[in-house]
Amino acid sequence: MTANAPILAIDIGGTKLAAAVVDEQGGVMSRGEIPTPSSAVADTLIELAKTVLGNERPRTIGLASAGPLDMVAGTVSPVNIPSWRDFPLCDTVAEAFPGAETVLVGDAVAAAVGEHWRGAGAGAEAMLGIVVSTGVGGGLVLRGRAYPGPTGNAGHFGHMPTDLEPVLCACGMTGCVEALGSGPSMVRWAAQFGWRGASAKELADDARAGDSVARAAFDRAADALACGIVGAAALVDLDVVVIGGGVAAAGPVLLDPLRAHLKRRASLGFVQRVKALPGTLGRDAGLIGAARCALEI
Amino acid sequence: MTANAPILAIDIGGTKLAAAVVDEQGGVMSRGEIPTPSSAVADTLIELAKTVLGNERPRTIGLASAGPLDMVAGTVSPVNIPSWRDFPLCDTVAEAFPGAETVLVGDAVAAAVGEHWRGAGAGAEAMLGIVVSTGVGGGLVLRGRAYPGPTGNAGHFGHMPTDLEPVLCACGMTGCVEALGSGPSMVRWAAQFGWRGASAKELADDARAGDSVARAAFDRAADALACGIVGAAALVDLDVVVIGGGVAAAGPVLLDPLRAHLKRRASLGFVQRVKALPGTLGRDAGLIGAARCALEI
C-alpha cells in the first residue's frame, strides 16, 4: 500500500483469464494467463492473480471484463461465462486483496486505453480502439482519457448500423458492423461463394495467397468497418482508430481495403484526417489499459 | 467587468444573426435578431450586439457560428456567408468589446449545450442535440459538458453514413443521414411520388392532414435519423437525443415515426433506453448554449 506498490491488472474474457503486475509507466512486470474454466471462475482468477503478484500486495486493481457489465454496481455478466450473471466482481476481488481499490471497465475500453497509453494511439486526443475477432468490439478515448459513458457501454462500435446488407447480428438487429465485419461473418460469406475453409485465420492465409473469394470477403468486412469508422469520426471527431484483435492480426489483407474504403467514404476534411493504425500491444492491451484506468481514478 | 457583468451571446447563421444578454442562470435578458446581410456582416453583427447590450459591458462573450470553423485560430468560414472565409471572428469581436473574453463553438454544439442547460436535455450525462432543417446538424454533450472534439467538429451527426439509399449528400458522399433526413431531401423525395408542394412546412401540413406520400416522406427521413441515432447511442452511450430545427417543429409527424424506427432498430439495452425529446428552447437554444460555453471556460 505504499506509493510504489504495484498495480494488479486483470483481463477477463470468455476464452482466457489474464493477470499482470504493471508499473506506473505501463510496463508489464509479470504476467499469467489461463483458459477460462467452466466452473469456479472466481477462485481460478484469484489464484492466478496471487501467483502473478508473488510476495507483492497491490495498491490498486484494474479489472477489464467482457460485457455486459454494470460499473456502478461493480458486477459483470460476460456472455461467454454463463456461471457469472450479475457477478459481484469488484467485491470478490476486493475481499481477496484487502486495502486495494478496484476499478472496473469493459474489456474493449481497457484495450483502447492500453493502446492509447503505451501503443499505437499514444498522444491522440480522440481515439477509437476496435477489436475485430469473433465479434467486433470497441472503446473510446476522448479528451485523452477513457470514455466509458454513463452506463459503461460506450464504444459499442460493432453495433453501429450499416444497412449495407440485411445480415442478422448476434444482438438481434440486422446490418450491424459486427454482423458484416466479424471473423465468423467473413467465413460464412466466403463459404457461400465456394471457399472451403473453417477459420478466419485460414481465410486470411488464402487472401494473402491471392484467393479471390477470400480477398472479397475481407473487402466486404473492411467496408462495413469503414462505414462505422466514418460515422464515429463524424460524431466524435476522431484523431486515430487503432485496430486490434485476432482478425486484425491478418495485417494488410484487412488494413489495405479498410484504408481504401475509408478514403472513399470520408468526404469532410476532419473525417479524412483520421488515421487507421494496427495495434502494437497485442494481447497485453487490455491488461495495460486496465492498469491505466486504475491509476486514473 | 465585475462578477455580475453580463454574458453576451451571439449566434451566427447563414439566414440570421442573433445576439442576446444572458444571465448566469441561462435567462435571456434582452435579445435581437436581424437577417444575415450579404455584405458588412461584421459591422452589422457588432452593431446588433451593442444595441442588445445597451449601457452594459460584457464580461465574457459566447460565439456560436455556422461552420466550418477553427476553434484554435478563432476563425469561421460559414458555408452560407461567402464573404467570410477564415474570418477572424474572435479577434473582431474582442476588439469591439475590449476586456471581454471570447469563446467560439459551432452553432449545433451551442444549441445542444443550450438544450442541456435550460431545455429538454437538462440533467443528461450524455446527450446528442440534433437540428433538422435545411441540413441536419448535431452537437454532443458528454460527461455533462460540451464536447467539441479536437478540431471543434464533433457532433456532425448529419454526415454519419446510413447506406439506406445512394442519395447524393451536400458533402459529396452518398447516403448520409442529412442526404435522407433534411427538409429539402423529404420534399424532393415526395415530389418524385407526385406530391405538389414546395417546402418542408407544406409537407408537414399535408402529412398532418393524412396525405400518404407526405407521411411516407417523413417516415423515410425518420428512419435515416433513427439509423444515425442508434449508431450514436451505441458509440457514446446516450441518455437523451433532443431534436430541434425547422423540420422538427413539425412535431409528431416527425417524432412519432422517429420513435417507432428507434424502437425497431435498438436491440441492446443501453441503446433502448435513449429518449428522443423535442427541444424546448426553439431559436434561443444556440444563444443560451453560447452563453453557457462562455461560462465554462
Side-chain angles (χ1 to χ4, degrees), chain A residues 140 143 146-147 150-151 155-156 162-163 171 173 227 234-237 265 267, chain B residues 140 143 146-147 150-151 155-156 162-163 171 173 227 234-237 265 267:
Chain A
L140 283 172
R143 295 187 196 269
Y147 176 79
T151 73
H156 264 78
T162 76
D163 287 293
C171 76
M173 260 299 296
C227 183
L235 194 70
V236 297
D237 195 5
R265 285 182 169 275
S267 60
Chain B
L140 283 173
R143 296 186 196 268
Y147 176 78
T151 73
H156 265 79
T162 76
D163 286 293
C171 76
M173 259 300 294
C227 184
L235 193 70
V236 298
D237 195 7
R265 284 181 170 275
S267 60

PDB file of all heavy atoms in Angstrom, chain A residues 140 143 146-147 150-151 155-156 162-163 171 173 227 234-237 265 267, chain B residues 140 143 146-147 150-151 155-156 162-163 171 173 227 234-237 265 267:
ATOM      1  N   LEU A 140     -13.626   3.903 -26.494  1.00  0.00           N
ATOM      2  CA  LEU A 140     -13.290   5.280 -26.840  1.00  0.00           C
ATOM      3  C   LEU A 140     -12.354   5.913 -25.811  1.00  0.00           C
ATOM      4  O   LEU A 140     -12.508   5.713 -24.610  1.00  0.00           O
ATOM      5  CB  LEU A 140     -14.556   6.146 -26.884  1.00  0.00           C
ATOM      6  CG  LEU A 140     -15.473   6.031 -28.098  1.00  0.00           C
ATOM      7  CD1 LEU A 140     -16.754   6.824 -27.849  1.00  0.00           C
ATOM      8  CD2 LEU A 140     -14.779   6.525 -29.356  1.00  0.00           C
ATOM      9  N   ARG A 143     -10.863  13.326 -25.057  1.00  0.00           N
ATOM     10  CA  ARG A 143     -10.105  14.285 -24.227  1.00  0.00           C
ATOM     11  C   ARG A 143      -8.917  13.579 -23.575  1.00  0.00           C
ATOM     12  O   ARG A 143      -8.549  13.888 -22.441  1.00  0.00           O
ATOM     13  CB  ARG A 143     -10.992  14.905 -23.144  1.00  0.00           C
ATOM     14  CG  ARG A 143     -12.144  15.774 -23.652  1.00  0.00           C
ATOM     15  CD  ARG A 143     -12.818  16.465 -22.459  1.00  0.00           C
ATOM     16  NE  ARG A 143     -14.111  17.009 -22.766  1.00  0.00           N
ATOM     17  CZ  ARG A 143     -14.322  18.267 -23.204  1.00  0.00           C
ATOM     18  NH1 ARG A 143     -13.327  19.061 -23.424  1.00  0.00           N
ATOM     19  NH2 ARG A 143     -15.556  18.678 -23.438  1.00  0.00           N
ATOM     20  N   ALA A 146     -10.145   7.567 -20.894  1.00  0.00           N
ATOM     21  CA  ALA A 146     -11.211   6.595 -21.133  1.00  0.00           C
ATOM     22  C   ALA A 146     -12.562   7.278 -21.096  1.00  0.00           C
ATOM     23  O   ALA A 146     -12.851   8.066 -20.189  1.00  0.00           O
ATOM     24  CB  ALA A 146     -11.154   5.497 -20.073  1.00  0.00           C
ATOM     25  N   TYR A 147     -13.407   6.956 -22.088  1.00  0.00           N
ATOM     26  CA  TYR A 147     -14.787   7.439 -22.055  1.00  0.00           C
ATOM     27  C   TYR A 147     -15.706   6.223 -21.993  1.00  0.00           C
ATOM     28  O   TYR A 147     -16.070   5.650 -23.021  1.00  0.00           O
ATOM     29  CB  TYR A 147     -15.109   8.300 -23.285  1.00  0.00           C
ATOM     30  CG  TYR A 147     -16.572   8.704 -23.271  1.00  0.00           C
ATOM     31  CD1 TYR A 147     -17.008   9.745 -22.462  1.00  0.00           C
ATOM     32  CD2 TYR A 147     -17.530   7.999 -24.001  1.00  0.00           C
ATOM     33  CE1 TYR A 147     -18.343  10.084 -22.388  1.00  0.00           C
ATOM     34  CE2 TYR A 147     -18.874   8.336 -23.940  1.00  0.00           C
ATOM     35  CZ  TYR A 147     -19.268   9.376 -23.132  1.00  0.00           C
ATOM     36  OH  TYR A 147     -20.592   9.702 -23.044  1.00  0.00           O
ATOM     37  N   PRO A 150     -22.203   6.932 -19.602  1.00  0.00           N
ATOM     38  CA  PRO A 150     -22.981   6.898 -18.351  1.00  0.00           C
ATOM     39  C   PRO A 150     -23.241   5.486 -17.818  1.00  0.00           C
ATOM     40  O   PRO A 150     -23.297   5.296 -16.610  1.00  0.00           O
ATOM     41  CB  PRO A 150     -24.305   7.570 -18.712  1.00  0.00           C
ATOM     42  CG  PRO A 150     -24.111   8.239 -20.006  1.00  0.00           C
ATOM     43  CD  PRO A 150     -22.890   7.702 -20.654  1.00  0.00           C
ATOM     44  N   THR A 151     -23.408   4.490 -18.690  1.00  0.00           N
ATOM     45  CA  THR A 151     -23.672   3.138 -18.195  1.00  0.00           C
ATOM     46  C   THR A 151     -22.458   2.228 -18.364  1.00  0.00           C
ATOM     47  O   THR A 151     -22.542   1.029 -18.101  1.00  0.00           O
ATOM     48  CB  THR A 151     -24.868   2.475 -18.932  1.00  0.00           C
ATOM     49  OG1 THR A 151     -24.463   2.118 -20.254  1.00  0.00           O
ATOM     50  CG2 THR A 151     -26.073   3.400 -18.994  1.00  0.00           C
ATOM     51  N   GLY A 155     -18.682   2.921 -26.804  1.00  0.00           N
ATOM     52  CA  GLY A 155     -17.697   2.253 -27.644  1.00  0.00           C
ATOM     53  C   GLY A 155     -18.205   0.986 -28.308  1.00  0.00           C
ATOM     54  O   GLY A 155     -17.425   0.263 -28.923  1.00  0.00           O
ATOM     55  N   HIS A 156     -19.505   0.728 -28.222  1.00  0.00           N
ATOM     56  CA  HIS A 156     -20.062  -0.463 -28.882  1.00  0.00           C
ATOM     57  C   HIS A 156     -20.106  -0.265 -30.396  1.00  0.00           C
ATOM     58  O   HIS A 156     -21.159  -0.347 -31.041  1.00  0.00           O
ATOM     59  CB  HIS A 156     -21.458  -0.787 -28.342  1.00  0.00           C
ATOM     60  CG  HIS A 156     -21.447  -1.816 -27.260  1.00  0.00           C
ATOM     61  ND1 HIS A 156     -21.098  -1.517 -25.962  1.00  0.00           N
ATOM     62  CD2 HIS A 156     -21.712  -3.147 -27.262  1.00  0.00           C
ATOM     63  CE1 HIS A 156     -21.160  -2.624 -25.216  1.00  0.00           C
ATOM     64  NE2 HIS A 156     -21.528  -3.620 -25.987  1.00  0.00           N
ATOM     65  N   THR A 162     -25.185  -0.402 -40.288  1.00  0.00           N
ATOM     66  CA  THR A 162     -24.643  -0.027 -41.598  1.00  0.00           C
ATOM     67  C   THR A 162     -25.688  -0.102 -42.708  1.00  0.00           C
ATOM     68  O   THR A 162     -25.600   0.616 -43.680  1.00  0.00           O
ATOM     69  CB  THR A 162     -23.471  -0.922 -42.041  1.00  0.00           C
ATOM     70  OG1 THR A 162     -23.991  -2.183 -42.469  1.00  0.00           O
ATOM     71  CG2 THR A 162     -22.460  -1.126 -40.948  1.00  0.00           C
ATOM     72  N   ASP A 163     -26.649  -1.007 -42.571  1.00  0.00           N
ATOM     73  CA  ASP A 163     -27.641  -1.204 -43.630  1.00  0.00           C
ATOM     74  C   ASP A 163     -27.037  -1.590 -44.969  1.00  0.00           C
ATOM     75  O   ASP A 163     -27.679  -1.439 -46.001  1.00  0.00           O
ATOM     76  CB  ASP A 163     -28.526   0.038 -43.795  1.00  0.00           C
ATOM     77  CG  ASP A 163     -29.512   0.161 -42.644  1.00  0.00           C
ATOM     78  OD1 ASP A 163     -30.402  -0.686 -42.551  1.00  0.00           O
ATOM     79  OD2 ASP A 163     -29.370   1.079 -41.838  1.00  0.00           O
ATOM     80  N   CYS A 171     -26.829  -9.458 -31.828  1.00  0.00           N
ATOM     81  CA  CYS A 171     -27.620  -8.590 -30.939  1.00  0.00           C
ATOM     82  C   CYS A 171     -29.110  -8.639 -31.268  1.00  0.00           C
ATOM     83  O   CYS A 171     -29.922  -8.088 -30.521  1.00  0.00           O
ATOM     84  CB  CYS A 171     -27.115  -7.151 -31.012  1.00  0.00           C
ATOM     85  SG  CYS A 171     -27.603  -6.261 -32.503  1.00  0.00           S
ATOM     86  N   MET A 173     -30.398  -7.381 -34.157  1.00  0.00           N
ATOM     87  CA  MET A 173     -30.637  -6.467 -35.275  1.00  0.00           C
ATOM     88  C   MET A 173     -30.023  -7.045 -36.547  1.00  0.00           C
ATOM     89  O   MET A 173     -29.399  -8.096 -36.519  1.00  0.00           O
ATOM     90  CB  MET A 173     -29.979  -5.125 -34.962  1.00  0.00           C
ATOM     91  CG  MET A 173     -30.926  -4.068 -34.464  1.00  0.00           C
ATOM     92  SD  MET A 173     -32.213  -3.682 -35.670  1.00  0.00           S
ATOM     93  CE  MET A 173     -31.211  -2.995 -36.992  1.00  0.00           C
ATOM     94  N   CYS A 227     -17.486   1.947 -42.793  1.00  0.00           N
ATOM     95  CA  CYS A 227     -18.768   2.650 -42.623  1.00  0.00           C
ATOM     96  C   CYS A 227     -18.924   3.091 -41.163  1.00  0.00           C
ATOM     97  O   CYS A 227     -19.265   4.241 -40.873  1.00  0.00           O
ATOM     98  CB  CYS A 227     -19.902   1.715 -43.053  1.00  0.00           C
ATOM     99  SG  CYS A 227     -21.534   2.449 -42.983  1.00  0.00           S
ATOM    100  N   ALA A 234     -17.258  11.227 -37.726  1.00  0.00           N
ATOM    101  CA  ALA A 234     -18.143  12.385 -37.895  1.00  0.00           C
ATOM    102  C   ALA A 234     -18.725  12.803 -36.542  1.00  0.00           C
ATOM    103  O   ALA A 234     -18.899  13.978 -36.263  1.00  0.00           O
ATOM    104  CB  ALA A 234     -19.261  12.065 -38.887  1.00  0.00           C
ATOM    105  N   LEU A 235     -18.990  11.829 -35.709  1.00  0.00           N
ATOM    106  CA  LEU A 235     -19.648  12.115 -34.434  1.00  0.00           C
ATOM    107  C   LEU A 235     -18.700  12.632 -33.354  1.00  0.00           C
ATOM    108  O   LEU A 235     -19.026  13.581 -32.651  1.00  0.00           O
ATOM    109  CB  LEU A 235     -20.373  10.870 -33.917  1.00  0.00           C
ATOM    110  CG  LEU A 235     -21.353  11.163 -32.785  1.00  0.00           C
ATOM    111  CD1 LEU A 235     -22.566  11.936 -33.292  1.00  0.00           C
ATOM    112  CD2 LEU A 235     -21.789   9.899 -32.087  1.00  0.00           C
ATOM    113  N   VAL A 236     -17.545  11.991 -33.199  1.00  0.00           N
ATOM    114  CA  VAL A 236     -16.679  12.398 -32.077  1.00  0.00           C
ATOM    115  C   VAL A 236     -15.336  12.990 -32.508  1.00  0.00           C
ATOM    116  O   VAL A 236     -14.474  13.233 -31.690  1.00  0.00           O
ATOM    117  CB  VAL A 236     -16.463  11.258 -31.041  1.00  0.00           C
ATOM    118  CG1 VAL A 236     -17.786  10.857 -30.399  1.00  0.00           C
ATOM    119  CG2 VAL A 236     -15.756  10.063 -31.647  1.00  0.00           C
ATOM    120  N   ASP A 237     -15.175  13.225 -33.831  1.00  0.00           N
ATOM    121  CA  ASP A 237     -14.005  13.973 -34.301  1.00  0.00           C
ATOM    122  C   ASP A 237     -12.711  13.224 -33.947  1.00  0.00           C
ATOM    123  O   ASP A 237     -11.832  13.762 -33.267  1.00  0.00           O
ATOM    124  CB  ASP A 237     -14.032  15.372 -33.650  1.00  0.00           C
ATOM    125  CG  ASP A 237     -13.108  16.379 -34.305  1.00  0.00           C
ATOM    126  OD1 ASP A 237     -12.495  16.060 -35.336  1.00  0.00           O
ATOM    127  OD2 ASP A 237     -12.991  17.491 -33.763  1.00  0.00           O
ATOM    128  N   ARG A 265     -15.000   6.761 -48.493  1.00  0.00           N
ATOM    129  CA  ARG A 265     -16.186   7.181 -47.748  1.00  0.00           C
ATOM    130  C   ARG A 265     -16.046   8.519 -47.036  1.00  0.00           C
ATOM    131  O   ARG A 265     -17.063   9.123 -46.677  1.00  0.00           O
ATOM    132  CB  ARG A 265     -16.526   6.119 -46.678  1.00  0.00           C
ATOM    133  CG  ARG A 265     -17.155   4.856 -47.233  1.00  0.00           C
ATOM    134  CD  ARG A 265     -17.485   3.902 -46.099  1.00  0.00           C
ATOM    135  NE  ARG A 265     -18.318   2.787 -46.529  1.00  0.00           N
ATOM    136  CZ  ARG A 265     -19.644   2.833 -46.619  1.00  0.00           C
ATOM    137  NH1 ARG A 265     -20.295   3.929 -46.298  1.00  0.00           N
ATOM    138  NH2 ARG A 265     -20.321   1.789 -47.029  1.00  0.00           N
ATOM    139  N   SER A 267     -15.635  12.295 -46.653  1.00  0.00           N
ATOM    140  CA  SER A 267     -15.683  13.483 -47.506  1.00  0.00           C
ATOM    141  C   SER A 267     -15.332  14.754 -46.747  1.00  0.00           C
ATOM    142  O   SER A 267     -14.716  15.656 -47.294  1.00  0.00           O
ATOM    143  CB  SER A 267     -17.061  13.612 -48.151  1.00  0.00           C
ATOM    144  OG  SER A 267     -18.041  13.716 -47.144  1.00  0.00           O
TER     145      SER A 267
ATOM    146  N   LEU B 140     -22.753  17.427 -29.351  1.00  0.00           N
ATOM    147  CA  LEU B 140     -22.689  16.466 -28.250  1.00  0.00           C
ATOM    148  C   LEU B 140     -22.417  17.139 -26.917  1.00  0.00           C
ATOM    149  O   LEU B 140     -21.609  18.070 -26.822  1.00  0.00           O
ATOM    150  CB  LEU B 140     -21.559  15.457 -28.480  1.00  0.00           C
ATOM    151  CG  LEU B 140     -21.778  14.332 -29.492  1.00  0.00           C
ATOM    152  CD1 LEU B 140     -20.467  13.564 -29.681  1.00  0.00           C
ATOM    153  CD2 LEU B 140     -22.887  13.396 -29.055  1.00  0.00           C
ATOM    154  N   ARG B 143     -20.233  13.715 -20.495  1.00  0.00           N
ATOM    155  CA  ARG B 143     -19.866  13.979 -19.097  1.00  0.00           C
ATOM    156  C   ARG B 143     -20.495  15.288 -18.634  1.00  0.00           C
ATOM    157  O   ARG B 143     -19.914  16.044 -17.848  1.00  0.00           O
ATOM    158  CB  ARG B 143     -18.351  14.057 -18.911  1.00  0.00           C
ATOM    159  CG  ARG B 143     -17.602  12.765 -19.209  1.00  0.00           C
ATOM    160  CD  ARG B 143     -16.126  12.946 -18.829  1.00  0.00           C
ATOM    161  NE  ARG B 143     -15.262  11.942 -19.397  1.00  0.00           N
ATOM    162  CZ  ARG B 143     -14.929  10.796 -18.791  1.00  0.00           C
ATOM    163  NH1 ARG B 143     -15.409  10.500 -17.614  1.00  0.00           N
ATOM    164  NH2 ARG B 143     -14.107   9.961 -19.382  1.00  0.00           N
ATOM    165  N   ALA B 146     -20.122  20.424 -22.948  1.00  0.00           N
ATOM    166  CA  ALA B 146     -19.910  20.456 -24.396  1.00  0.00           C
ATOM    167  C   ALA B 146     -18.730  19.581 -24.782  1.00  0.00           C
ATOM    168  O   ALA B 146     -17.671  19.636 -24.154  1.00  0.00           O
ATOM    169  CB  ALA B 146     -19.649  21.891 -24.854  1.00  0.00           C
ATOM    170  N   TYR B 147     -18.928  18.769 -25.833  1.00  0.00           N
ATOM    171  CA  TYR B 147     -17.803  18.004 -26.383  1.00  0.00           C
ATOM    172  C   TYR B 147     -17.587  18.451 -27.825  1.00  0.00           C
ATOM    173  O   TYR B 147     -18.238  17.952 -28.740  1.00  0.00           O
ATOM    174  CB  TYR B 147     -18.070  16.496 -26.328  1.00  0.00           C
ATOM    175  CG  TYR B 147     -16.936  15.732 -26.978  1.00  0.00           C
ATOM    176  CD1 TYR B 147     -15.739  15.533 -26.307  1.00  0.00           C
ATOM    177  CD2 TYR B 147     -17.027  15.288 -28.291  1.00  0.00           C
ATOM    178  CE1 TYR B 147     -14.672  14.905 -26.913  1.00  0.00           C
ATOM    179  CE2 TYR B 147     -15.957  14.644 -28.909  1.00  0.00           C
ATOM    180  CZ  TYR B 147     -14.789  14.463 -28.211  1.00  0.00           C
ATOM    181  OH  TYR B 147     -13.724  13.852 -28.819  1.00  0.00           O
ATOM    182  N   PRO B 150     -11.420  17.382 -30.878  1.00  0.00           N
ATOM    183  CA  PRO B 150     -10.104  18.013 -31.067  1.00  0.00           C
ATOM    184  C   PRO B 150     -10.101  19.152 -32.084  1.00  0.00           C
ATOM    185  O   PRO B 150      -9.347  20.105 -31.929  1.00  0.00           O
ATOM    186  CB  PRO B 150      -9.203  16.872 -31.553  1.00  0.00           C
ATOM    187  CG  PRO B 150      -9.923  15.620 -31.291  1.00  0.00           C
ATOM    188  CD  PRO B 150     -11.368  15.918 -31.052  1.00  0.00           C
ATOM    189  N   THR B 151     -10.900  19.070 -33.132  1.00  0.00           N
ATOM    190  CA  THR B 151     -10.886  20.149 -34.132  1.00  0.00           C
ATOM    191  C   THR B 151     -12.135  21.022 -34.031  1.00  0.00           C
ATOM    192  O   THR B 151     -12.344  21.911 -34.856  1.00  0.00           O
ATOM    193  CB  THR B 151     -10.796  19.598 -35.575  1.00  0.00           C
ATOM    194  OG1 THR B 151     -12.070  19.011 -35.933  1.00  0.00           O
ATOM    195  CG2 THR B 151      -9.699  18.567 -35.724  1.00  0.00           C
ATOM    196  N   GLY B 155     -19.916  15.992 -33.428  1.00  0.00           N
ATOM    197  CA  GLY B 155     -21.359  16.164 -33.483  1.00  0.00           C
ATOM    198  C   GLY B 155     -21.912  16.272 -34.892  1.00  0.00           C
ATOM    199  O   GLY B 155     -23.083  16.569 -35.067  1.00  0.00           O
ATOM    200  N   HIS B 156     -21.079  16.024 -35.902  1.00  0.00           N
ATOM    201  CA  HIS B 156     -21.565  16.073 -37.287  1.00  0.00           C
ATOM    202  C   HIS B 156     -22.448  14.866 -37.595  1.00  0.00           C
ATOM    203  O   HIS B 156     -22.197  14.092 -38.531  1.00  0.00           O
ATOM    204  CB  HIS B 156     -20.392  16.148 -38.274  1.00  0.00           C
ATOM    205  CG  HIS B 156     -20.058  17.548 -38.696  1.00  0.00           C
ATOM    206  ND1 HIS B 156     -19.332  18.399 -37.905  1.00  0.00           N
ATOM    207  CD2 HIS B 156     -20.395  18.269 -39.804  1.00  0.00           C
ATOM    208  CE1 HIS B 156     -19.200  19.573 -38.524  1.00  0.00           C
ATOM    209  NE2 HIS B 156     -19.843  19.512 -39.670  1.00  0.00           N
ATOM    210  N   THR B 162     -25.539   6.110 -43.727  1.00  0.00           N
ATOM    211  CA  THR B 162     -26.618   5.155 -43.465  1.00  0.00           C
ATOM    212  C   THR B 162     -26.666   4.040 -44.503  1.00  0.00           C
ATOM    213  O   THR B 162     -27.097   2.942 -44.204  1.00  0.00           O
ATOM    214  CB  THR B 162     -28.013   5.809 -43.473  1.00  0.00           C
ATOM    215  OG1 THR B 162     -28.394   6.066 -44.822  1.00  0.00           O
ATOM    216  CG2 THR B 162     -28.044   7.085 -42.659  1.00  0.00           C
ATOM    217  N   ASP B 163     -26.253   4.347 -45.724  1.00  0.00           N
ATOM    218  CA  ASP B 163     -26.335   3.358 -46.804  1.00  0.00           C
ATOM    219  C   ASP B 163     -27.751   2.860 -47.058  1.00  0.00           C
ATOM    220  O   ASP B 163     -27.941   1.807 -47.660  1.00  0.00           O
ATOM    221  CB  ASP B 163     -25.404   2.164 -46.536  1.00  0.00           C
ATOM    222  CG  ASP B 163     -23.957   2.537 -46.770  1.00  0.00           C
ATOM    223  OD1 ASP B 163     -23.589   2.795 -47.914  1.00  0.00           O
ATOM    224  OD2 ASP B 163     -23.205   2.610 -45.788  1.00  0.00           O
ATOM    225  N   CYS B 171     -22.194  17.018 -48.868  1.00  0.00           N
ATOM    226  CA  CYS B 171     -20.775  16.836 -48.522  1.00  0.00           C
ATOM    227  C   CYS B 171     -20.004  16.100 -49.611  1.00  0.00           C
ATOM    228  O   CYS B 171     -18.791  16.000 -49.544  1.00  0.00           O
ATOM    229  CB  CYS B 171     -20.643  16.095 -47.188  1.00  0.00           C
ATOM    230  SG  CYS B 171     -20.957  14.314 -47.295  1.00  0.00           S
ATOM    231  N   MET B 173     -20.564  12.815 -50.347  1.00  0.00           N
ATOM    232  CA  MET B 173     -20.801  11.383 -50.156  1.00  0.00           C
ATOM    233  C   MET B 173     -22.247  11.048 -50.532  1.00  0.00           C
ATOM    234  O   MET B 173     -23.029  11.935 -50.847  1.00  0.00           O
ATOM    235  CB  MET B 173     -20.556  11.005 -48.692  1.00  0.00           C
ATOM    236  CG  MET B 173     -19.216  10.352 -48.431  1.00  0.00           C
ATOM    237  SD  MET B 173     -19.035   8.822 -49.375  1.00  0.00           S
ATOM    238  CE  MET B 173     -20.311   7.850 -48.585  1.00  0.00           C
ATOM    239  N   CYS B 227     -31.462   5.680 -37.746  1.00  0.00           N
ATOM    240  CA  CYS B 227     -30.240   4.917 -38.036  1.00  0.00           C
ATOM    241  C   CYS B 227     -29.026   5.634 -37.429  1.00  0.00           C
ATOM    242  O   CYS B 227     -28.198   5.021 -36.752  1.00  0.00           O
ATOM    243  CB  CYS B 227     -30.100   4.779 -39.550  1.00  0.00           C
ATOM    244  SG  CYS B 227     -28.710   3.785 -40.070  1.00  0.00           S
ATOM    245  N   ALA B 234     -24.985   3.711 -29.629  1.00  0.00           N
ATOM    246  CA  ALA B 234     -24.076   2.570 -29.441  1.00  0.00           C
ATOM    247  C   ALA B 234     -22.664   3.067 -29.156  1.00  0.00           C
ATOM    248  O   ALA B 234     -21.931   2.494 -28.362  1.00  0.00           O
ATOM    249  CB  ALA B 234     -24.089   1.666 -30.679  1.00  0.00           C
ATOM    250  N   LEU B 235     -22.290   4.158 -29.791  1.00  0.00           N
ATOM    251  CA  LEU B 235     -20.918   4.638 -29.661  1.00  0.00           C
ATOM    252  C   LEU B 235     -20.673   5.432 -28.385  1.00  0.00           C
ATOM    253  O   LEU B 235     -19.655   5.227 -27.726  1.00  0.00           O
ATOM    254  CB  LEU B 235     -20.547   5.501 -30.875  1.00  0.00           C
ATOM    255  CG  LEU B 235     -19.048   5.782 -30.994  1.00  0.00           C
ATOM    256  CD1 LEU B 235     -18.291   4.511 -31.382  1.00  0.00           C
ATOM    257  CD2 LEU B 235     -18.775   6.888 -31.975  1.00  0.00           C
ATOM    258  N   VAL B 236     -21.553   6.358 -28.037  1.00  0.00           N
ATOM    259  CA  VAL B 236     -21.260   7.215 -26.876  1.00  0.00           C
ATOM    260  C   VAL B 236     -22.230   7.028 -25.709  1.00  0.00           C
ATOM    261  O   VAL B 236     -22.197   7.789 -24.751  1.00  0.00           O
ATOM    262  CB  VAL B 236     -21.146   8.724 -27.248  1.00  0.00           C
ATOM    263  CG1 VAL B 236     -19.998   8.937 -28.228  1.00  0.00           C
ATOM    264  CG2 VAL B 236     -22.446   9.282 -27.799  1.00  0.00           C
ATOM    265  N   ASP B 237     -23.110   6.008 -25.792  1.00  0.00           N
ATOM    266  CA  ASP B 237     -23.931   5.650 -24.630  1.00  0.00           C
ATOM    267  C   ASP B 237     -24.835   6.819 -24.219  1.00  0.00           C
ATOM    268  O   ASP B 237     -24.791   7.293 -23.081  1.00  0.00           O
ATOM    269  CB  ASP B 237     -22.980   5.245 -23.487  1.00  0.00           C
ATOM    270  CG  ASP B 237     -23.659   4.503 -22.346  1.00  0.00           C
ATOM    271  OD1 ASP B 237     -24.850   4.165 -22.470  1.00  0.00           O
ATOM    272  OD2 ASP B 237     -22.978   4.266 -21.334  1.00  0.00           O
ATOM    273  N   ARG B 265     -35.081  -0.396 -34.307  1.00  0.00           N
ATOM    274  CA  ARG B 265     -33.656  -0.546 -34.582  1.00  0.00           C
ATOM    275  C   ARG B 265     -32.801  -0.803 -33.343  1.00  0.00           C
ATOM    276  O   ARG B 265     -31.668  -1.273 -33.467  1.00  0.00           O
ATOM    277  CB  ARG B 265     -33.124   0.726 -35.257  1.00  0.00           C
ATOM    278  CG  ARG B 265     -33.504   0.862 -36.726  1.00  0.00           C
ATOM    279  CD  ARG B 265     -32.906   2.140 -37.297  1.00  0.00           C
ATOM    280  NE  ARG B 265     -33.039   2.209 -38.743  1.00  0.00           N
ATOM    281  CZ  ARG B 265     -32.184   1.650 -39.599  1.00  0.00           C
ATOM    282  NH1 ARG B 265     -31.133   1.002 -39.166  1.00  0.00           N
ATOM    283  NH2 ARG B 265     -32.377   1.744 -40.900  1.00  0.00           N
ATOM    284  N   SER B 267     -31.468  -2.671 -30.287  1.00  0.00           N
ATOM    285  CA  SER B 267     -31.559  -4.014 -29.716  1.00  0.00           C
ATOM    286  C   SER B 267     -30.852  -4.123 -28.376  1.00  0.00           C
ATOM    287  O   SER B 267     -31.289  -4.836 -27.495  1.00  0.00           O
ATOM    288  CB  SER B 267     -31.002  -5.043 -30.697  1.00  0.00           C
ATOM    289  OG  SER B 267     -29.656  -4.751 -30.976  1.00  0.00           O
TER     290      SER B 267
END
